[in-house]
């Protein structure tokens, strides 16, 4: 197993808009992050993934980039960025930037030019099609809007946008566009960044001719990932990008790759070695039936089979419970119904995920056990995905369904301000923030948890320390234990003669587990309870260092 810095680091994801406001405008910013670097050092993380900080009209909170090399004015200046990068590196923390090159903003000068005329030199930086009169060129649905096409009066053609109409898709078939992207990536690398998280990177190649999707659907538009995800040309583009940008650097690139599965994921990070890591969505879709809003309860056995299949499918995984697009972990997969269950289930989930084999990504606030937000009205929402959804929900039971879905799975749940202390606005800002602070900030915040040795925060700090210092937990093999048991998620990590056993009671019940008695005489290196016996307590996690007694 090749040793790499990104295999030995826990990555902390910072959503800058909600992390810390340093200049009293209610919006997080780069200098706010600099103020908190000591906290990151204490937590023990060795890399930061920063959501987009580039100039953007913020139609999709920075995922609609207007200038790939200018810092968004609300977040600060180029000098602030340079100071952030320098300070992180001074504290031995790497910086992973967010690379959004499936699409740009419609305010990017490439698109402003492209839409001016059919023979503009930038025309083919994007997908423009005649369509059939006032009918879209194909039946593709978008993630955010009914159709993935918008008609442009000036040149009487349609342009493609898999996301919002302010996020036109870039045409990766165009070598001139690819060259622009590679040189931009290399300029960021030359500034000293350590890698990229690559937004929906496996969607950049579209099926020749952009044919209609064929999935059955009850509406006029069809979600056609069959024609824009994991297309053959994707591998050409990624291998070219690797050669041109990544190969000769000690960097890390992690692809955000919706629609990958255990059979095609290795084509991206093993055989082709195009990416170093990838984020699959199968865990993120585990409680969805027909799409994310159609919620079904979390199922432990489904979870165990899924995690086991991914541990077996890839030699190296990305380990994450949530991010800025997903609801809060303890509300979604744990139990925030009481304070006791919230604390215990958050600790258990932390170990369950982060002691697996792979690179751990901890999303800001996960280490506090931050919960979903109790939204009550549409005015509290900020995310385009939820706003488009609720606005398309007409009335009656569908509106009720939409609202329930937003409470459970809306992306704003993850985007409320980081909770630093119990002062007004939770120490995030001293003015009204851009999005409401969770009302439970007075008890769930860094300062309160720092003063409580039994807090989730202290537990995460210990967990991260154990993980990053243990050859077994980093490079050890993985093997499932008690795979058929419906209450426990358990596995063993082995490296040379060392073995660490992880046992998680994923239920709120007291559950008996028959395990080898000799484990009782071993060292418990991490747990959320004191006494250890065969009767596991609600959400109990127990990590056992199995010392081999030489016969
Ligand atoms: O997300 C890609 C993506 O698939 C998400 O839109 C996801 O399907 C959805 O949010 C689930 O609720 C990336 C970014 O992480 C996201 O923030 C952007 O909105 C999107 O791409 C477009 O750039
Ligand atoms: Ca600010």
């Amino acid at each position: 197993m090749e040793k790499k810095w990104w295999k030995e680091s826990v990555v902390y994801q910072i959503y800058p808009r909600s992390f810390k406001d340093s200049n009293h405008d209610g919006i997080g910013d780069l200098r706010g992050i600099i103020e908190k670097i000591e906290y990151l050092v204490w937590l023990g993380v060795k890399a930061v993934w920063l959501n987009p900080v580039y100039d953007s009209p913020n139609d999709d909170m920075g995922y609609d980039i207007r200038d790939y090399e200018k810092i968004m004015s609300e977040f600060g200046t180029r000098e602030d960025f340079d100071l952030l990068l320098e300070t992180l590196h001074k504290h031995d923390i790497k910086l992973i930037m967010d690379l959004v090159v499936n699409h740009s903003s419609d305010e990017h000068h490439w698109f402003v030019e492209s839409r001016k005329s059919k023979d503009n030199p930038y025309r083919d930086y994007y997908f423009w099609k005649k369509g059939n009169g006032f009918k879209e060129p194909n039946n593709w649905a978008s993630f955010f809007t009914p159709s993935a096409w918008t008609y442009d009066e000036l040149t009487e053609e349609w342009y493609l946008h898999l996301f919002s109409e302010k996020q036109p898709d870039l045409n990766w078939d165009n070598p001139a566009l690819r060259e622009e992207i590679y040189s931009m990536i290399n300029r960021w690398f030359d500034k000293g960044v350590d890698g990229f998280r690559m937004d929906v990177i496996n969607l950049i190649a579209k099926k020749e001719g952009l044919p209609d999707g064929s999935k059955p659907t009850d509406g006029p538009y069809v979600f056609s990932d069959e024609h824009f995800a994991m297309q053959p040309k994707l591998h050409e583009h990624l291998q070219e990008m690797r050669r041109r940008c990544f190969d000769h650097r000690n960097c890390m690139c992690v692809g955000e790759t919706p629609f990958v599965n255990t059979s095609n994921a290795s084509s991206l990070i093993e055989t082709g070695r195009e990416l170093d890591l990838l984020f699959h969505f199968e865990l993120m879709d585990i409680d969805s039936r027909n799409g994310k809003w159609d919620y079904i309860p979390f199922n432990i056995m489904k979870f165990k089979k899924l995690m086991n299949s991914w541990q077996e499918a890839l030699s190296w995984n990305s380990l994450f419970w949530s991010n800025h697009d997903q609801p809060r972990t303890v509300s979604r997969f744990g139990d925030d119904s009481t304070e006791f269950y919230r604390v215990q289930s958050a600790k258990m989930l932390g170990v369950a995920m982060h002691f697996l084999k792979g690179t751990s990504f901890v999303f800001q606030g996960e280490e506090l056990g931050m919960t979903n937000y109790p939204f009550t009205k549409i005015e509290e929402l900020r995310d385009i995905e939820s706003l488009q959804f609720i606005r398309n929900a007409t009335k009656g039971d569908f509106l009720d369904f939409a609202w329930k879905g937003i409470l459970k799975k809306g992306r704003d749940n993850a985007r409320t301000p980081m909770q630093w202390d119990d002062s007004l606005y939770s120490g995030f800002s001293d003015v009204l923030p851009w999005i409401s602070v969770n009302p439970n900030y007075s008890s769930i915040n860094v300062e309160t948890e720092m003063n409580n040795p039994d807090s989730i925060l202290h537990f995460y700090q210990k967990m991260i320390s154990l993980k990053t210092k243990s050859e077994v937990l980093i490079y050890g093999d993985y093997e499932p234990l008690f795979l058929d048991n419906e209450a426990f998620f358990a596995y063993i990590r082995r490296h040379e003669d060392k073995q660490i056993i992880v046992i998680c009671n994923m239920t709120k019940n007291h559950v008996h587990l028959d395990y080898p008695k000799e484990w009782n005489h071993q060292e418990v290196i991490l747990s959320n309870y004191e006494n250890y016996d065969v009767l596991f307590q609600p959400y109990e996690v127990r990590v056992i260092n199995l010392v081999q007694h030489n016969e």
Side-chain angles (χ1 to χ4, degrees):
M1 171 66 67
E2 203 184 356
K3 298 203 170 187
K4 292 279 183 185
W5 62 263
W6 43 267
K7 293 183 177 178
E8 302 168 7
S9 309
V10 170
V11 184
Y12 190 81
Q13 180 192 351
I14 292 179
Y15 192 71
R17 180 169 290 276
S18 304
F19 192 66
K20 177 72 176 71
D21 170 24
S22 72
N23 63 342
H24 324 290
D25 63 358
I27 298 170
D29 47 61
L30 300 184
R31 284 193 171 269
I33 300 172
I34 294 170
E35 284 174 20
K36 296 297 181 182
I37 288 181
E38 291 300 338
Y39 168 73
L40 301 179
V41 171
W42 173 83
L43 190 56
V45 298
K46 299 300 248 182
V48 160
W49 155 27
L50 199 56
N51 286 101
V53 294
Y54 319 100
D55 177 41
S56 164
N58 287 308
D59 187 56
D60 183 16
M61 294 302 161
Y63 280 92
D64 47 318
I65 295 172
R66 183 166 47 200
D67 183 333
Y68 286 95
E69 301 184 59
K70 184 169 177 283
I71 300 300
M72 189 187 307
S73 50
E74 294 166 311
F75 288 165
T77 65
R78 193 74 193 221
E79 291 67 36
D80 294 334
F81 176 82
D82 293 346
L83 181 60
L84 171 62
L85 180 60
E86 182 194 337
T87 315
L88 283 169
H89 282 171
K90 207 186 292 174
H91 288 83
D92 194 23
I93 295 178
K94 306 272 190 189
L95 180 59
I96 307 293
M97 301 288 280
D98 211 312
L99 183 73
V100 189
V101 291
N102 173 70
H103 47 271
S104 74
S105 163
D106 65 343
E107 298 180 27
H108 193 290
H109 81 89
W110 295 340
F111 191 75
V112 171
E113 286 300 315
S114 176
R115 74 188 321 169
K116 277 180 182 168
S117 68
K118 287 182 193 154
D119 56 3
N120 184 288
Y122 288 95
R123 188 71 172 180
D124 287 343
Y125 273 39
Y126 299 87
F127 292 95
W128 289 96
K129 285 264 179 201
K130 192 123 195 64
N132 316 315
F134 281 104
K135 200 170 169 327
E136 296 88 352
N138 68 23
N139 66 356
W140 293 7
S142 141
F143 282 81
F144 294 160
T145 54
S147 166
W149 295 91
T150 292
Y151 187 71
D152 202 62
E153 297 283 346
L154 185 65
T155 58
E156 295 178 325
E157 287 195 339
W158 302 76
Y159 67 87
L160 176 69
H161 53 85
L162 294 182
F163 292 91
S164 87
E165 58 189 47
K166 285 183 68 61
Q167 294 171 290
D169 277 57
L170 289 162
N171 174 12
W172 274 76
D173 290 330
N174 183 342
L177 180 271
R178 298 204 303 270
E179 285 305 317
E180 299 252 24
I181 300 292
Y182 300 151
S183 50
M184 175 269 289
I185 292 173
N186 281 320
R187 280 193 293 273
W188 276 110
F189 270 134
D190 294 343
K191 279 190 68 60
V193 304
D194 302 289
F196 290 92
R197 173 267 189 190
M198 301 157 82
D199 191 62
V200 290
I201 197 64
N202 64 324
L203 310 189
I204 59 174
K206 276 75 173 175
K207 174 71 72 57
E208 193 76 34
L210 308 181
D212 272 354
S214 55
K215 276 186 190 170
T217 174
D218 50 11
Y221 304 110
V222 179
F223 203 71
S224 305
D225 51 285
E226 69 198 280
H227 296 321
F228 60 70
M230 299 300 284
Q231 296 300 302
K233 271 197 174 170
L234 171 68
H235 299 291
E236 276 175 47
H237 298 332
L238 290 179
Q239 285 167 23
E240 182 181 60
M241 186 191 288
R242 172 155 288 282
R243 280 195 309 277
R244 298 289 306 278
C245 307
F246 291 90
D247 251 354
H248 49 295
R249 300 177 192 273
N250 181 23
C251 61
M252 180 264 262
C253 69
V254 50
E256 185 210 27
T257 50
F259 314 110
V260 293
N261 53 48
T262 48
S263 52
N264 64 15
S266 54
S267 72
L268 291 171
I269 65 170
E270 314 248 320
T271 37
R273 247 195 49 71
E274 293 137 9
L275 305 170
D276 296 309
L277 292 165
L278 62 79
F279 294 148
H280 67 76
F281 276 58
E282 291 193 348
L283 176 57
M284 297 298 111
D285 293 337
I286 198 169
D287 52 3
S288 308
R289 189 175 21 216
N290 300 316
K292 72 176 271 185
W293 305 114
D294 183 10
Y295 173 75
I296 49 176
F298 175 64
N299 176 293
I300 294 172
M301 288 309 285
K302 205 169 146 191
F303 168 76
K304 289 173 63 166
K305 288 195 179 74
L306 171 67
M307 297 312 282
N308 192 49
S309 66
W310 278 98
Q311 286 286 302
E312 290 179 350
L314 295 180
S315 63
W316 200 266
N317 273 272
S318 299
L319 310 171
F320 68 100
W321 278 116
S322 84
N323 55 42
H324 63 292
D325 290 335
Q326 302 297 334
R328 285 286 177 183
T329 307
V330 74
S331 300
R332 181 183 194 182
F333 299 115
D335 181 344
D336 62 4
S337 62
T338 72
E339 184 56 8
F340 178 70
Y341 286 156
R342 181 185 68 82
V343 171
Q344 294 299 62
S345 63
K347 292 176 178 178
M348 179 274 294
L349 291 173
V351 171
M353 178 61 71
H354 297 304
F355 278 13
L356 286 167
K357 185 170 189 177
T359 299
S360 290
F361 290 78
V362 172
F363 177 58
Q364 69 181 47
E366 173 188 331
E367 77 274 21
L368 301 177
M370 278 178 67
T371 65
N372 278 357
Y373 184 96
F375 296 110
T376 55
K377 47 190 186 301
I378 194 167
E379 291 72 28
E380 292 175 305
L381 301 179
R382 296 291 176 273
D383 173 28
I384 185 172
E385 184 187 51
S386 294
L387 289 166
Q388 296 272 20
F389 182 55
I390 198 86
R391 283 178 187 142
N392 288 332
T394 47
K395 55 191 176 305
D397 58 350
F398 185 62
L399 190 58
D400 184 42
F401 167 81
W403 192 246
K404 278 205 181 89
I406 285 170
L407 284 174
K408 271 271 181 214
K409 305 285 275 301
R411 304 194 302 182
D412 285 315
N413 280 303
R415 301 177 179 187
T416 62
M418 178 70 178
Q419 294 165 195
W420 294 104
D421 59 40
D422 63 2
S423 69
L424 186 60
Y425 308 132
S426 74
F428 163 73
S429 176
D430 51 14
V431 300
L432 182 69
W434 69 281
I435 186 171
S436 304
V437 176
N438 196 309
N440 62 25
Y441 74 91
S442 49
S443 57
I444 300 176
N445 64 72
V446 170
E447 188 177 79
T448 303
E449 297 199 28
M450 201 60 101
N451 295 329
N452 168 11
D454 290 335
S455 64
I456 300 166
L457 178 58
H458 278 290
F459 188 89
Y460 256 68
Q461 196 263 351
K462 267 182 256 159
M463 180 183 81
I464 291 169
S465 172
L466 270 175
K467 166 100 187 223
T468 50
K469 293 187 174 73
S470 161
E471 285 275 313
V472 188
L473 292 175
I474 295 172
Y475 291 111
D477 294 334
Y478 155 92
E479 187 186 327
L481 296 173
F482 314 113
L483 206 46
D484 299 335
N485 184 301
E486 306 214 341
F488 289 91
F489 177 51
Y491 51 86
I492 187 165
R493 301 291 314 277
R494 283 196 183 90
H495 186 67
E496 293 160 5
D497 62 343
K498 298 188 185 66
Q499 303 181 74
I500 289 180
I501 288 167
V502 174
I503 310 173
C504 307
N505 173 9
M506 297 197 87
T507 74
K508 68 165 77 173
N509 309 317
H510 289 77
V511 188
H512 183 282
L513 178 69
D514 262 334
Y515 60 77
K517 294 290 171 286
E518 55 125 5
W519 291 0
N520 281 337
H521 310 298
Q522 301 288 343
E523 181 197 7
V524 175
I525 55 176
L526 187 60
S527 177
N528 53 358
Y529 284 92
E530 294 305 317
N531 61 331
Y532 314 118
D533 68 19
V534 289
L535 188 68
F536 279 74
Q537 310 207 42
Y539 303 115
E540 178 173 352
V541 56
R542 199 180 298 172
V543 183
I544 301 167
N545 183 23
L546 206 53
V547 180
Q548 293 293 42
H549 293 299
N550 299 328
E551 271 68 31

